[in-house]
Amino acid sequence: FVDFHSENLNTIFQFTIQKTDFCVTILGVRKKITKPHLPHWAAVCALALAGIIAYHNCLNNAMFWDDDDFILKNRYIKDWQYFPKFFSENLVAGGYLLSNYWRPVLLTVFAWAWHIWHTWLPGWHSLNIAFHILDGILLYFLFNRLFANRILSAIAALIFTTHPVHNEAIVYVNSLGDPLAAFFVLSSLLLFARFRQSGKPAYASRNFWFAFLLYPLAIMSKETGFVLCGLLPAMDFLLLQTNASCRTRVKNTLSAAWPFLAIAVIYVILRGTALNFSDSFNFYHEQNEFTGSIFIRVLTFFKAAAQYTGFLFFPYELRVERQMPWAHSLLEGDVLLGGLIITAMAIALFKYWKKDPLLSFAFAWFFIAIAPASNVLVPINAVIYEHFLYMPMIGITLATVNAALRLVEQKNIPRPGAAALVLILAVFCAINVRRNTDWRTAIGFYEQLVQYAPSYRVINNLGMEYANKGIHDKAEFWYKKAIAMDPANPVAYHNIAGTYRDTGRLALAEANFKKAITLNPKFIFSYRSLAELYWRLGDFAQAKKYLITLVNFDPQDQNARQALQTVDNLIKQNRGGIDGTH
């Protein structure tokens, strides 16, 4: 269709190098393209392999810590008759506990898993690994749709899948909420992007409606799923309407995103009313200098941001529990550093939204995704945790990988760049494989953690694990340390009472069970233990007293009801009472 004159040949050549991913040679002139072709199946296989390599040796790790309350001792997930309670009660109500968490979809997945493999460890760990790998694959397809760059998408997804900062969210079984919520968030974003790029109106697009229906599932998997109501408008405004004016973008984004925003508003209202189990908007349940001052919370977020930067770029000395004091001055070193980092990101977000929308979107992603865990909006139960970065790090990864690829292209160093990537991924996998062993046994985990973060929770849990192994002297030692640390907490009193009971010191056991009840009249575990203790002593009248309390707490507790009936029969036969006869 064209004459082969030099000007036409040059036009054809220029068009060719813009549209292909290969190095081409025409009439001896060779042009090098910086975006090589990558089949989708290769990217998916690489992500699956990377995830398996990073976490393969955690399959037989024990379940402990919150796994007890969320799964092992949660009666709700073990019987489908409780399924309606998933949606009306807090996450650990099935373990007779109270929390701020409402995660019915997570409970449903736990119940499904329990009915398939009960306490089979590889099953539980495989579930976490599978969702994490799926998140990496979804991230790859989302970024490829947004930026039409398979290399950028694959590298960002590989770093996300292998980064050691996610180890806690994957190896710790009950942390499934993080990858599960991310699965629904990423799926919704991908479907929404397909809808917008299709050019169809929202009401006529199945992609739009599926994206919308996934939002409640994200919220009900974990509270962090709420961030979809921010990520989706940011993506739409910055990346999916690049040829429109600012006013048109705002109008179109609000027109498409308002159902998601409506769901977010309804969720907030419900968490403040019907689903407000334990002060949804203040996890401290009191007013203190942290909850009462947004200035201190912002400074503390800056302090955490400095440490988060270290976690992401220099992932060493990672661990679950950290004790980070609240910040009080901008002049504190790590507060100032974190403040500078956050300020620079915020400036770049607003400065480059037209010139470099990818960079603006990356930083917007970070700010939106970290908001629920920042403590700025809602004071939560911790100021810093590694798993808080599960979704926020996606934004930092996108910005970093994009900058690295630009450098490789400018300096024309593809081979050193590829070698550096392989080395980074190998180091990340090696760190994960090593960290997986830290979670192998409960005692080993707590003994290591107590050296760095000797909190009440860690100390008490270490005592529990020694007690479970029958090492009562060490259990008693750690329980006493926990009581000294927090004399108003009933948990360690209850636990040390169990150790006294198991070692024959029944008077001490009785006194400490009663002390736990005095501190918390709703501490149902000590009522059960006292009923069992008096049953053992033959004091059926006292046993009946505590069994009645148990039945009042939980009328569906069949074991307590049967025990109460038995005690009543014994008392009627004049074989119970304080004389101890049987």
Side-chain angles (χ1 to χ4, degrees), residues 7 122 184 251 299 334 347 426 433 438-439 498 501 531 559:
E7 61 272 17
F184 292 118
K251 179 182 177 181
L299 293 181
D334 44 5
I347 291 173
V433 170
D438 294 341
W439 297 82
R501 177 198 59 208
N559 291 331

Side-chain angles (χ1 to χ4, degrees), residues 565-582:
Q565 184 177 0
T566 301
V567 168
D568 271 336
N569 292 335
L570 291 173
I571 293 175
K572 289 177 181 178
Q573 296 171 16
N574 199 26
R575 293 193 298 165
I578 59 173
D579 61 356
T581 59
H582 291 262

